[in-house]
């Protein structure tokens, strides 16, 4: 109740301003939908791919992968504002201008902050695969990349999907690092709400938050629907 009740209060506060407040909230946020969804989806993909590379290290029990996972844990533990400032200090130079002035700086923030979670999810999935399965295919002369494509990845697809969804959700809600590094002209839903809420009426702020919630639910729900439809197509 302590977690859900505050969300329910948003509905009551939003409707205090009448139905028209949702139109105002939509007009304030509609330009940020495309940037937010694009960056969240791309961030989820990149997070899951890097997490896959690190997670596959559990299969071979490589020390390099373990060190890299430790580095990801260190970045994950760094406060978002500290991490954002470090990105600014490093990339705000001539050699990093292309990254600093584009979406790339935001994506680096997403990948740095959240890949550790994806690597743990995928790594746990990899650990469920019997080593003898890969060893048998290797003895038969099947190359590693073929084994990876035909055997390992199909088995860990559920873990890979969960890692993508979690990366997507975390990227959608990330504020601390994003607000520090986002380039001019970029519009993100969470940043729009954060900057407007200081001077906006309570009903308008609540309506904007509800719209963010609806967009997030629709996006995540759409991902699950696509997975369901793809699964039915394969089974048929």
């Amino acid at each position: 109740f302590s977690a859900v009740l505050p969300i329910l209060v948003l509905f009551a506060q939003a409707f205090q301003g009448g139905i028209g407040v949702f139109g105002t909230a939509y007009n304030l946020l509609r330009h940020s939908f495309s940037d937010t969804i694009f960056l969240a989806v791309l961030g989820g993909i990149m997070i899951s791919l890097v997490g896959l590379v690190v997670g596959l290290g559990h299969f071979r029990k490589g020390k390099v992968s373990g060190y890299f996972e430790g580095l990801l844990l260190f970045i994950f533990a760094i406060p978002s504002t500290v991490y954002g400032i470090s990105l600014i200090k490093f990339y705000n130079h001539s050699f990093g201008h292309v990254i600093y002035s584009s979406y790339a700086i935001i994506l680096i923030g997403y990948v740095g902050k959240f890949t550790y979670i994806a690597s743990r999810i995928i790594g746990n999935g990899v650990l469920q695969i019997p080593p003898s399965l890969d060893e048998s295919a290797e003895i038969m002369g099947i190359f590693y990349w073929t084994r990876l494509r035909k055997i390992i990845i199909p088995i860990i697809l559920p873990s890979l999907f969960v890692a993508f969804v979690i990366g997507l959700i975390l990227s959608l809600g990330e504020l601390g690092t994003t607000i520090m590094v986002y380039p001019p002209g970029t519009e993100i839903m969470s940043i729009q709400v954060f900057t407007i809420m200081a001077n906006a009426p309570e009903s308008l702020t609540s309506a904007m938050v509800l719209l963010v919630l609806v967009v997030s639910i629709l996006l995540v729900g759409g991902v699950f629907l696509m997975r369901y439809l793809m699964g039915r197509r394969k089974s048929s």
Side-chain angles (χ1 to χ4, degrees), residues 49-220:
L49 287 178
V50 178
L52 174 63
V53 173
V54 180
L56 287 174
H58 291 279
F59 200 71
R60 293 182 169 270
K61 300 179 180 180
K63 291 185 178 181
V64 175
S65 179
Y67 293 145
F68 191 60
E69 193 170 56
L71 177 62
L72 290 175
L73 174 60
F74 173 73
I75 299 174
F76 176 68
I78 295 175
S80 296
T81 50
V82 175
Y83 183 52
I85 292 173
S86 69
L87 292 177
I88 293 173
K89 295 294 185 181
F90 182 79
Y91 287 106
N92 191 18
H93 297 282
S94 57
F95 70 88
H97 177 72
V98 175
I99 293 176
Y100 183 73
S101 60
S102 66
Y103 289 151
I105 189 73
I106 299 177
L107 294 171
I108 290 173
Y110 290 167
V111 172
K113 288 297 295 180
F114 305 130
T115 299
Y116 174 74
I117 300 175
S119 69
R120 293 304 304 165
I121 294 171
I122 297 171
N124 288 335
V126 169
L127 290 174
Q128 305 304 313
I129 303 175
S132 58
L133 193 64
D134 182 64
E135 292 169 357
S136 300
E138 186 176 8
I139 292 173
M140 294 175 64
I142 301 175
F143 292 109
Y144 175 73
W145 292 109
T146 304
R147 302 198 306 272
L148 186 66
R149 182 168 53 89
K150 297 278 189 175
I151 300 174
I152 300 174
I153 290 183
I155 294 176
I156 64 171
L157 267 181
S159 299
L160 194 58
F161 176 76
V162 171
F164 167 72
V165 171
I166 291 179
L168 173 68
I169 294 172
L170 292 174
S171 298
L172 274 173
E174 167 59 26
L175 177 65
T177 301
T178 308
I179 201 170
M180 302 293 294
V181 303
Y182 76 101
T186 305
E187 297 187 69
I188 308 293
M189 287 192 301
S190 56
I191 296 177
Q192 288 285 92
V193 174
F194 182 77
T195 54
I196 291 174
M197 67 179 293
N199 300 311
E202 188 178 73
S203 59
L204 179 58
T205 302
S206 299
M208 292 175 68
V209 172
L210 288 179
L211 283 180
V212 172
L213 177 62
V214 169
V215 171
S216 302
I217 291 174
L218 288 176
L219 180 59
V220 175

